[in-house]
Amino acid sequence: SSVFAALAQAPEDPILGVTVAYNKDPSPVKVNLGVGAYRTEEGKPLVLKVVRRAEQMLINNPSRVKEYLPITGLAEFNKLSAKLIFGADSPAIQENRVATVQCLSGTGSLRVGAHYLHPQPTWGNHPKVFTLSGLTVRSYRYYDPATRGLDFKGLLEDLSSAPSGSIVLLHACAHNPTGVDPTIDQWEQIRQLMRSKSLLPFFDSAYQGFASGSLDKDARSVRMFVADGGELLMAQSYAKNMGLYGERVGALSIVCGSADVAVRVESQLKLVIRPMYSNPPLHGASIVATILRDSEMFNEWTLELKAMADRIISMRQQLFDALKSRGTPGDWSHIIKQIGMFTFTGLNSEQVAFMRQEYHIYMTSDGRISMAGLSTRTVPHLSDAIHAAVT
Ligand SMILES: Cc1ncc(COP(=O)(O)O)c(CN[C@@](C)(CC(=O)O)C(=O)O)c1O
């Protein structure tokens, strides 16, 4: 008998489980629009040329060793990552108010940040008090199914009623799964409200440069908050914009009120990381540092990044045109209005299941499709499936 005999079968992950189902499907016309991982026109994963070049340089470097990194990770990677998201001219960086630690990609950055924010109990009774009143997760209104756009009024109302000191998770750009981002004016209203109520922003930036094709444009929301001198947390991922998915490369930055607070914050982050995974992996961070430190490689990266963003935008236009040419019932303009990796189609779970069974189209049950999974070749097949699903 087994000590695990009573264990129940856990369900597949709602997002990564779509790829599991896709891989099992023998159909020659199957299309995977589940996980938000970039694919080329030929439907293949892409390793950026500049990444291959950086790896070659690393391999050719005879003095390279495989020693442990410090708990906080590769220092140069941390500095360059903060500069990338906050801007080279960021006042917070100039005043040494940013504590950055390399983490296991975006998820790892969010996890370390969340762990750090969970109050550090001191008195023996604190754990009971905090576990009873620990970090409770509540959601705020964001997406309006009627307009397939932002429920801005609902968002402001919910943030207005959040208790002062609450932590608010915000997508820096390319909101997942809706593809709906606040406008710059709406971000300014969100910033003012949050600062007036002392709500602590926790930004999640998994698609910088992927949404608009511009690294700086996609960081505007974050930089508005940093410019006001307030504090925030920032989780960065290089999975998508540098195509380093499996290397698990990311960073958590905490912008603090002063330099001496930043020093103490970094020391506390080390207490979270050391017992969690001790220190992060070397290879991916070395690739990123090699690219970000060299202006010529940085420029080559921005060109490849823009090409990926542009291909996704062209897929939006092609899908929209294909549905219009079929006279598919419904307003599909949200396909070209939404931004980033995903389109939130508005298809319901029955329609998603129908498209999987009859057309071998794979997407998450909430109707989200990864536009990067599409190509000129597969747009007609997807449009036929959507047309059949809604008529
Ligand atoms: C908003 C957001 N934050 C963080 C992450 C985590 O990325 P990382 O840990 O790989 O850096 C993702 C990835 N979301 C994907 C692309 C993949 C996934 O679900 O893991 C998605 O399909 O939604 C994301 O969409």
Side-chain angles (χ1 to χ4, degrees), residues 11-27:
E12 283 290 354
D13 178 85
I15 292 175
L16 303 180
V18 173
T19 300
V20 172
Y22 168 82
N23 289 336
K24 286 177 189 156
D25 186 333
S27 161

Side-chain angles (χ1 to χ4, degrees), residues 121-131:
T122 48
W123 169 45
N125 193 34
H126 270 170
K128 293 185 196 71
V129 168
F130 283 119
T131 39

Side-chain angles (χ1 to χ4, degrees), residues 15-16 34-36 104-108 110 171 176 204 206-207 237 239-240 245 248 342 368:
I15 292 175
L16 303 180
V35 69
L104 306 183
S105 214
T107 308
L110 292 164
H171 295 231
N176 174 5
D204 176 2
Y207 300 95
S237 164
K240 277 68 84 171
Y245 303 91
R248 313 309 295 138
F342 306 106
R368 181 195 88 170

Side-chain angles (χ1 to χ4, degrees), residues 106-122:
T107 308
S109 303
L110 292 164
R111 187 83 177 76
V112 167
H115 231 276
Y116 164 77
L117 288 169
H118 195 285
Q120 304 290 338
T122 48

Side-chain angles (χ1 to χ4, degrees), residues 42-86:
E42 295 69 39
K44 297 276 181 288
L46 176 67
V47 177
L48 302 190
K49 288 196 295 294
V50 72
V51 166
R52 292 234 189 268
R53 227 177 103 196
E55 288 197 299
Q56 203 51 54
M57 289 163 67
L58 292 168
I59 290 167
N60 296 343
N61 175 358
S63 63
R64 224 168 91 76
V65 293
K66 301 256 187 205
E67 287 305 289
Y68 279 133
L69 281 177
I71 295 171
T72 51
L74 188 64
E76 186 188 18
F77 165 85
N78 290 343
K79 287 254 167 298
L80 291 166
S81 292
K83 198 173 143 193
L84 182 71
I85 188 71
F86 299 131

